[in-house]
Amino acid sequence: MGKPRERRQTGEQDLFRSRLDQIINMKHELVRLAQAIDWPVLEARFGTVYSDGAGMPPPLPTRLMAGLAILKHTFNLSDEALCERWVENPYFQYLCGEEFFRHELSFDRSSMTRWRQRMGEERIGALLQESLAVAVKTGAMKPQDTRQVIVDTTVQPKDVMFPTDAKLIHRARERLVRLAKKMGLDLRQTYIRVGKFALIQHQRYAHAKQFKRAGKALRKLKTYLGRTVRDVERQIAGDEQLDAIFKWSLYQAKTVIAQRQRQRGRKIYSLHADEVECIGKGKAHKPYEFGVKVSVATTLNRSKGGQFALHAAALPGNPYDGHTLATVIPDMEKMIGNELSCIMADAGYRGHNAPESHKLRVFTSGQKRRLTPAIKRQMRRRSAVEPVIGHLKSEHRMDRNYLAGEQGDAVNSVLAAAGYNFSLLLRWFRQLLCLFAALFLTFQSRPMPQQPA
């Protein structure tokens, strides 16, 4: 695929179309954000994935795709809702680099999915980096604010149903039967009707706390799945092509049958998203969450523009919190372009594996040694990361991740942090505009000094 044809403001006039800069308020916060973002830097960063070649159609402009990613997570919109808003909102179009108002989409909805997959976590991080650069450039944050940080972890839930043994077994049989029909296998029995009835029975007995009867219904479901697995294996025996096609479905079905409560090792909690992990964070209202652990870092001191998120990264494998600092700290310093002088963390980071150069710069809750009065005062700010996590989840799409695969987990966490920062910047521009308006009104209402006669 060739390199994108980047857009530049030309100032051209069109008799039949309206220029956006003539119909919108140029003091609007989205306009000021569009003018503050260094688009050529993003174009250079994202353009490295493309290569020119003969006959390759040029992809969509970088400013359009990066602008859509910013809008999606700043305003908490799905891809479909973003497309609907983009057509009717001239400010959205201006941010994405359009010169004239468009009455139809200039892109396909699926282009956003393909662009996110092509860029990956490392390049998407440029949007988070740019949000911090704009904050420093506009005075919303000082460069020294990034030297002292608070680190914490949370769970980014995946868009999967709550896993139970009965549901997983029933779904594994359904998927195996569907694949067998697609490949033209003639199964002895599909168990479609009786399998559904056994699942309903199990759910009703479990709800009524009749666990012996519920267990009997669960054993029926396992029997149906086991028979289907053996039937498929007999029919594909000796056929390498069919064996390759059924290999993953059969592995999932056998794993679901064999896995037990409290067993060690990896378990399957979702058949279409096998990367999902069960994570317990000790919450009374939600003992277990199904998704991926995410590290979030924010500034220790609140900046003028708000409590900015400095770093966000998915941590697959559900690692111990303290053992994440070896990778999180170097990645954070690379992101912000500054060396960390102080890192505050909760008691879950005890026994951490921070790099040797930073071991004495990490302070955890409940720590007794090396605590000066200044550090004690700063430790009271540690809980400032909690509302940041709350905003990321409730307003910027970290509460339920709809992007597929491990890459989707990583990309969604970074985009949520970038969207949160851009929302703070929009509020900062709005406050500055109100401040200038108030100063202007005050100046106008002041009586003019009278000239001497």
Side-chain angles (χ1 to χ4, degrees):
M1 182 173 287
K3 292 194 174 182
R5 293 175 183 168
E6 307 298 356
R7 290 174 178 167
R8 297 289 181 268
Q9 295 291 330
T10 61
E12 294 178 353
Q13 299 290 336
D14 192 317
L15 185 62
F16 302 103
R17 293 189 297 172
S18 302
R19 283 189 61 83
L20 286 172
D21 54 12
Q22 294 175 354
I23 63 174
I24 63 177
N25 176 15
M26 296 303 288
K27 295 180 181 178
H28 191 275
E29 54 267 20
L30 275 173
V31 175
R32 299 185 66 186
L33 177 62
Q35 294 168 349
I37 293 174
D38 195 345
W39 297 107
V41 169
L42 294 180
E43 289 165 4
R45 185 77 176 270
F46 294 136
T48 56
V49 301
Y50 302 107
S51 59
D52 287 323
M56 291 183 175
L60 292 167
T62 298
R63 178 166 176 178
L64 171 63
M65 303 312 298
L68 290 170
I70 291 170
L71 291 169
K72 174 183 172 70
H73 285 264
T74 302
F75 295 98
N76 192 12
L77 301 171
S78 65
D79 288 353
E80 292 82 0
L82 177 58
C83 292
E84 293 172 5
R85 289 273 296 273
W86 192 90
V87 172
E88 62 192 24
N89 195 321
Y91 294 99
F92 280 19
Q93 296 187 20
Y94 184 86
L95 181 75
C96 293
E98 297 290 345
E99 281 192 275
F100 299 94
F101 185 75
R102 301 185 72 110
H103 297 273
E104 70 286 329
L105 287 174
S106 60
F107 57 92
D108 188 73
R109 182 190 61 78
S110 59
S111 301
M112 291 185 278
T113 302
R114 290 193 293 271
W115 186 80
R116 286 190 297 260
Q117 291 172 345
R118 185 175 292 124
M119 293 304 155
E121 178 189 11
E122 185 180 351
R123 291 182 183 85
I124 289 289
L127 293 179
L128 178 55
Q129 215 166 9
E130 184 60 24
S131 70
L132 299 173
V134 172
V136 172
K137 191 195 315 182
T138 58
M141 183 175 67
K142 296 177 183 177
Q144 57 265 32
D145 290 347
T146 61
R147 292 180 59 81
Q148 297 177 320
V149 302
I150 310 167
V151 182
D152 200 3
T153 60
T154 186
V155 180
Q156 178 178 256
K158 196 81 167 181
D159 182 33
V160 297
M161 68 178 182
F162 188 86
T164 62
D165 289 339
K167 283 182 186 176
L168 285 171
I169 292 167
H170 179 69
R171 184 64 61 86
R173 184 190 51 75
E174 281 186 331
R175 288 164 68 93
L176 199 56
V177 168
R178 195 181 308 126
L179 182 60
K181 284 186 176 180
K182 185 178 177 182
M183 292 295 106
L185 300 186
D186 185 19
L187 298 177
R188 294 173 62 187
Q189 191 171 348
T190 59
Y191 304 99
I192 292 175
R193 185 180 61 83
V194 294
K196 183 178 178 181
F197 181 68
L199 176 65
I200 293 170
Q201 269 192 324
H202 174 273
Q203 291 172 332
R204 287 176 176 172
Y205 288 141
H207 179 70
K209 295 185 171 56
Q210 299 179 11
F211 296 116
K212 279 191 176 180
R213 290 174 172 173
K216 187 177 179 182
L218 181 62
R219 288 193 294 275
K220 265 188 193 176
L221 287 167
K222 285 185 178 180
T223 301
Y224 297 156
L225 178 57
R227 288 177 184 173
T228 306
V229 166
R230 291 189 292 274
D231 193 2
V232 169
E233 285 180 332
R234 279 193 296 269
Q235 296 200 39
I236 66 173
D239 192 326
E240 292 184 3
Q241 187 176 357
L242 284 177
D243 186 60
I245 292 171
F246 280 90
K247 187 173 184 178
W248 178 244
S249 296
L250 288 171
Y251 166 77
Q252 283 190 321
K254 290 177 181 178
T255 304
V256 165
I257 292 176
Q259 64 189 17
R260 295 288 181 270
Q261 192 178 16
R262 298 187 183 86
Q263 76 174 39
R264 293 284 184 180
R266 190 70 182 268
K267 294 173 72 174
I268 291 180
Y269 297 100
S270 174
L271 297 173
H272 75 274
D274 62 291
E275 72 277 3
V276 168
E277 298 155 356
C278 178
I279 302 169
K281 297 290 282 185
K283 301 175 186 175
H285 68 286
K286 202 181 288 185
Y288 298 100
E289 294 179 273
F290 299 91
V292 67
K293 185 177 280 191
V294 172
S295 171
V296 177
T298 183
T299 55
L300 178 63
N301 300 311
R302 188 181 187 277
S303 305
K304 288 182 180 178
Q307 194 80 26
F308 286 91
L310 298 179
H311 183 259
L315 305 169
N318 190 15
Y320 169 63
D321 288 0
H323 294 167
T324 64
L325 292 181
T327 55
V328 166
I329 290 176
D331 195 33
M332 198 188 314
E333 291 186 335
K334 181 182 174 184
M335 174 77 68
I336 62 180
N338 219 344
E339 188 177 0
L340 301 178
S341 62
C342 180
I343 302 143
M344 299 293 176
D346 62 13
Y349 283 81
R350 288 176 182 170
H352 57 78
N353 64 345
E356 288 296 329
S357 56
H358 292 74
K359 275 194 180 296
L360 299 180
R361 304 180 194 178
V362 180
F363 300 92
T364 59
S365 299
Q367 183 174 329
K368 301 297 181 186
R369 296 180 180 179
R370 299 188 293 111
L371 284 188
T372 63
I375 295 294
K376 284 183 179 178
R377 284 194 302 272
Q378 290 175 337
M379 186 58 79
R380 297 191 196 116
R381 285 276 304 161
R382 192 216 62 81
S383 58
V385 71
E386 303 297 344
V388 173
I389 292 173
H391 286 298
L392 289 174
K393 288 194 168 188
S394 63
E395 299 163 16
H396 302 285
R397 304 189 71 76
M398 199 186 269
D399 61 329
R400 198 166 181 85
N401 177 27
Y402 296 90
L403 307 186
E406 285 191 11
Q407 188 188 48
D409 293 333
V411 166
N412 193 73
S413 60
V414 175
L415 283 175
Y420 167 72
N421 285 349
F422 281 118
S423 70
L424 292 183
L425 288 170
L426 291 177
R427 190 172 65 184
W428 172 249
F429 290 136
R430 206 176 302 128
Q431 289 173 347
L432 286 180
L433 184 62
C434 293
L435 178 62
F436 291 148
L439 289 173
F440 180 72
L441 290 174
T442 305
F443 179 77
Q444 278 202 331
S445 61
R446 186 180 301 167
M448 296 292 291
Q450 294 183 354
Q451 297 291 334

